[in-house]
Amino acid sequence: MSDPLIRADGLSVHFTLGGLFDRRILKAVDNVSLDIEQGSFFGLVGESGSGKTTLGRALLKAVTISKGSARYDDGEVSHDLASLDGPDLKDYRKRAQLIFQDPYAALSPRMTVRDIIAEPLEVMGLTANRAETDERVREIAAKCRLNLEHLRRFPHAFSGGQRQRISIARALVSGPKFIVADESVAALDVSIQADVLNLLKQLQDELGLTFLFISHDLSVVAHTCDHVAVMYLGRLVETAPTRKLFAAPRHPYTKALFSAIPSLDPDDRGTAQKLTGEIPSPTNQPTGCKFHTRCPHAIDLCMREEPQLESEGGHDVACHRWKELMSAVPA
């Protein structure tokens, strides 16, 4: 494995809510440590409200890192994301980009596709003149399966899949190496999802990209990602190579998520594990293990002490009882 492109150590993103007499701290991301290897397709999964998008935006320096550290190192430059500003922040904007979830809301209806894709080049001053800008726009548009006729049109003339390819072209035009794809296929039909995912994998190979792929769809993650991290209430509860994680999940929360994946067998009624209760509020988190209020295997230790990620065989899990529960599973 190569050196990590992104390394986070104890990264936290906290927001202050309320006024002088009703001040609360919302722990959107809390003490997260992870490595994203260069050239990898790293998946991040979890329920809504688990902090996935906030973590992605923290790694893009789009929100302030409250505690801990995060570093970007592509072999050419190295940036400390927690203290990044000024010229270094401008340089990082070229190297790290975001693909938005909603292709309908992400594009200005008043701009042509050419102008949408060219905007990052013009804002960042990456090209010397219009001819150079047009050449770069045509080059990246062709890689995203957009032709010259497409560049003259406005976004309303395109389908959802075509709009998402425009969004991808805009994200790639500055020549980034790190891409955060935040639910980038969630709003698309299944057949179009496959087309966009295949395009992302092709672009990854051609351009040497590294992806942080945020998704609710575990079947998409299984098909696309090399490594997967599972997030719950602002913390990582399990992370492993995709094959290992899907073959033998260790954390009760991960097992519950995987049990909800629909089967292609029409006669399979499924054995989905029902989680009782709602995810706790990030402003009033439970003590001990954050999942113990919904975990069917919780004991007193889980309520008192918060488990830390424990690594074994490249598979990390934060659960006091995972070995005991794994040994209890019938062979």
Side-chain angles (χ1 to χ4, degrees):
M1 298 294 285
S2 60
D3 293 333
L5 180 72
I6 297 286
R7 168 164 285 172
D9 185 15
L11 187 151
S12 298
V13 179
H14 298 168
F15 300 101
T16 301
L17 305 179
L20 180 63
F21 301 104
D22 183 29
R23 187 176 180 182
R24 292 163 291 157
I25 303 298
L26 189 153
K27 298 180 179 180
V29 177
D30 194 31
N31 196 28
V32 166
S33 298
L34 58 81
D35 289 348
I36 302 178
E37 305 292 339
Q38 291 198 50
S40 68
F41 218 109
F42 192 100
L44 185 61
V45 301
E47 293 173 287
S48 295
S50 59
K52 306 185 300 300
T53 293
T54 304
L55 176 58
R57 291 179 180 271
L59 297 180
L60 289 173
K61 189 57 179 179
V63 296
T64 301
I65 297 173
S66 305
K67 297 180 182 177
S69 65
R71 179 164 293 277
Y72 168 94
D73 189 347
D74 62 13
E76 297 176 0
V77 300
S78 179
H79 290 306
D80 179 1
L81 302 186
S83 59
L84 200 60
D85 61 6
D88 288 340
L89 179 58
K90 183 178 180 180
D91 176 74
Y92 187 59
R93 288 284 178 259
K94 297 184 297 185
R95 300 172 184 272
Q97 286 288 323
L98 172 68
I99 301 174
F100 292 94
Q101 174 179 355
D102 187 353
Y104 293 93
L107 306 177
S108 171
R110 296 179 176 85
M111 298 172 68
T112 64
V113 171
R114 180 268 173 202
D115 291 340
I116 289 172
I117 298 175
E119 188 175 24
L121 298 176
E122 295 166 348
V123 170
M124 298 179 190
L126 300 181
T127 51
N129 50 55
R130 184 179 179 88
E132 188 177 336
T133 299
D134 287 341
E135 181 181 355
R136 176 59 180 163
V137 168
R138 288 194 295 268
E139 176 188 352
I140 201 65
K143 290 183 181 295
C144 296
R145 304 173 194 166
L146 299 166
N147 58 40
L148 290 177
E149 179 60 29
H150 291 149
L151 297 179
R152 302 186 184 99
R153 300 179 186 174
F154 291 86
H156 72 267
F158 296 92
S159 66
Q162 290 172 319
R163 292 190 192 195
Q164 196 60 292
R165 292 205 298 271
I166 296 168
S167 295
I168 293 169
R170 179 178 59 184
L172 297 182
V173 74
S174 64
K177 297 196 175 179
F178 177 52
I179 301 289
V180 175
D182 187 3
E183 299 281 3
S184 56
V185 297
L188 306 177
D189 293 338
V190 174
S191 60
I192 306 302
Q193 284 186 12
D195 182 64
V196 172
L197 289 171
N198 289 334
L199 174 62
L200 293 178
K201 293 294 284 186
Q202 178 184 333
L203 291 169
Q204 180 192 25
D205 294 337
E206 290 181 5
L207 303 176
L209 301 173
T210 301
F211 281 91
L212 174 61
F213 187 77
I214 301 171
S215 180
H216 287 94
D217 193 331
L218 295 171
S219 59
V220 168
V221 169
H223 171 73
T224 309
C225 298
D226 313 312
H227 202 98
V228 181
V230 183
M231 201 166 184
Y232 181 80
L233 203 62
R235 297 183 67 92
L236 295 186
V237 297
E238 190 166 2
T239 177
T242 305
R243 289 183 180 273
K244 284 188 176 182
L245 189 69
F246 278 77
R250 294 176 176 176
H251 197 282
Y253 177 63
T254 309
K255 293 178 182 179
L257 292 180
F258 286 4
S259 72
I261 299 176
S263 172
L264 295 177
D265 183 356
D267 297 324
D268 184 6
R269 296 183 178 274
T271 56
Q273 177 185 334
K274 184 178 180 181
L275 293 178
T276 58
E278 298 292 331
I279 184 171
S281 169
T283 62
N284 185 25
Q285 298 189 13
T287 58
C289 175
K290 308 305 180 189
F291 185 59
H292 85 258
T293 58
R294 305 170 71 193
C295 180
H297 309 291
I299 57 177
D300 288 343
L301 176 63
C302 304
M303 303 176 190
R304 296 194 310 268
E305 297 182 16
E306 184 170 5
Q308 302 302 311
L309 282 174
E310 177 183 344
S311 182
E312 184 175 291
H315 191 150
D316 299 350
V317 60
C319 176
H320 292 300
R321 303 189 64 197
W322 75 266
K323 290 183 179 180
E324 175 188 348
L325 296 175
M326 291 294 289
S327 63
V329 175

